[in-house]
């Protein structure tokens, strides 16, 4: 069975500073990987996804993530954080090649300080 | 384009009362449909999923049930609510087949008093 670990429950970043949110997954084969963002009281919005090919994927709102098979990681990055990026971020993994439900991490809450 | 609707947006119900939350998807056919619950600090808990009309899989035993009476309609129900049923309920869909990204509805905030 697959699993996802987001080791940071909360992260505070100054506006304009760079951001990296960590995600580690456990899955025996090549996974599908996703990052979602959730603003308070709203549903989840897909930021980016990795299926295959280039291990550096670009998403919406200036986010990118890098798949590193050797480290079983899919960390989310942004070079300069804006106050509107404050939200909760979820990493998710799906099984490639067969039907399965997605497994989500417990989320990382991003706080942006002025 | 595809859209997903959930209603109601908020709901306050007494313990022991019934529940019905509805989710509909527009602009696609034969989607997989999902119900999740979020409790504070606990991330997303998958409750039910459906790969077709009348096909429901339950992930967590509880006093909730789900039904899919039409291709793009997914309903979450309970006969008697518990305090522990409070939370934020999210419906999601994907295109079906092997794993694709899921798209989420706006959610329903349920408070059981």
């Amino acid at each position: 069975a697959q699993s996802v670990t987001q080791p940071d429950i909360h992260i505070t970043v100054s506006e304009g500073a760079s951001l990296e949110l960590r995600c580690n997954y456990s899955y025996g084969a090549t996974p599908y990987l996703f990052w979602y963002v959730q603003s308070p009281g709203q549903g989840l919005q897909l930021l980016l996804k990795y299926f295959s090919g280039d291990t550096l994927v670009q998403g919406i709102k200036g986010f990118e993530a890098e798949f590193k098979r050797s480290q079983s990681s899919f960390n989310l990055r942004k070079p300069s954080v804006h106050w509107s990026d404050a939200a909760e971020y979820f990493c998710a993994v799906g099984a490639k090649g067969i039907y399965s439900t997605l497994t989500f991490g417990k989320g990382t809450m991003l706080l942006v300080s002025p | 384009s595809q859209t997903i609707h959930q209603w109601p947006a908020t709901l306050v119900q007494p313990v022991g009362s019934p529940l019905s939350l509805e989710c509909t998807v527009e602009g696609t056919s034969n989607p997989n449909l999902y119900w999740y619950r979020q409790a504070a600090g606990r991330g997303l808990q998958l409750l039910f999923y459906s790969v077709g009309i009348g096909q429901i899989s339950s992930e967590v035993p509880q006093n909730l049930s789900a039904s899919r009476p039409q291709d793009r309609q997914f309903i979450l129900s309970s006969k008697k609510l518990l305090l522990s049923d409070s939370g934020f309920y999210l419906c999601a869909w994907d295109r079906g087949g092997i794993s694709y990204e899921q798209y989420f509805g706006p959610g329903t905030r349920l408070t059981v008093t």
Side-chain angles (χ1 to χ4, degrees):
Chain A
Q2 60 250 37
S3 66
V4 177
T5 300
Q6 293 180 248
D8 303 306
I9 298 175
H10 296 98
I11 280 186
T12 300
V13 176
S14 298
E15 190 169 15
S18 63
L19 169 71
E20 183 169 28
L21 301 182
R22 295 183 291 165
C23 172
N24 293 98
Y25 68 91
S26 174
Y27 180 61
T30 303
Y32 290 148
L33 293 161
F34 309 88
W35 275 100
Y36 287 85
V37 61
Q38 184 182 32
S39 296
Q42 298 186 20
L44 278 70
Q45 180 184 23
L46 180 67
L47 281 177
L48 48 78
K49 61 191 178 189
Y50 171 77
F51 283 177
S52 64
D54 192 348
T55 56
L56 183 63
V57 294
Q58 302 297 320
I60 62 172
K61 305 185 179 186
F63 285 93
E64 66 178 26
E66 186 171 12
F67 170 56
K68 292 186 177 180
R69 184 189 305 275
S70 61
Q71 298 178 20
S72 297
S73 69
F74 189 57
N75 293 349
L76 181 71
R77 301 194 295 248
K78 187 171 184 178
S80 178
V81 169
H82 187 263
W83 64 267
S84 60
D85 294 323
E88 191 159 22
Y89 292 79
F90 293 92
C91 181
V93 62
K96 187 172 185 178
I98 59 173
Y99 174 74
S100 74
T101 58
L102 295 185
T103 299
F104 286 82
K106 293 190 180 301
T108 297
M109 181 65 73
L110 173 65
L111 305 174
V112 181
S113 60
Chain B
S1 63
Q2 301 87 13
T3 56
I4 177 169
H5 304 279
Q6 286 187 246
W7 62 88
T10 60
L11 190 60
V12 180
Q13 292 282 92
V15 168
S17 64
L19 173 72
S20 180
L21 303 181
E22 189 166 343
C23 170
T24 59
V25 180
E26 298 177 353
T28 188
S29 58
N30 302 314
N32 294 330
L33 296 171
Y34 304 85
W35 278 112
Y36 292 89
R37 177 169 60 200
Q38 270 187 308
R42 292 189 179 183
L44 278 78
Q45 179 186 31
L46 178 63
L47 302 175
F48 301 94
Y49 68 94
S50 171
V51 299
I53 296 175
Q55 301 180 60
I56 308 294
S57 297
S58 173
E59 290 290 301
V60 182
Q62 59 219 326
N63 69 320
L64 299 172
S65 62
S67 62
R68 184 171 178 174
Q70 301 180 43
D71 181 45
R72 290 167 289 176
Q73 184 184 31
F74 205 23
I75 296 172
L76 183 70
S77 303
S78 174
K79 292 182 178 179
K80 290 185 178 182
L81 283 168
L82 307 173
L83 285 174
S84 57
D85 292 323
S86 293
F88 192 53
Y89 288 82
L90 289 161
C91 182
W93 71 275
D94 67 36
R95 286 193 292 270
I98 60 175
S99 293
Y100 287 106
E101 60 266 34
Q102 293 180 14
Y103 299 95
F104 285 79
T108 295
R109 172 71 61 190
L110 172 65
T111 303
V112 182
T113 59

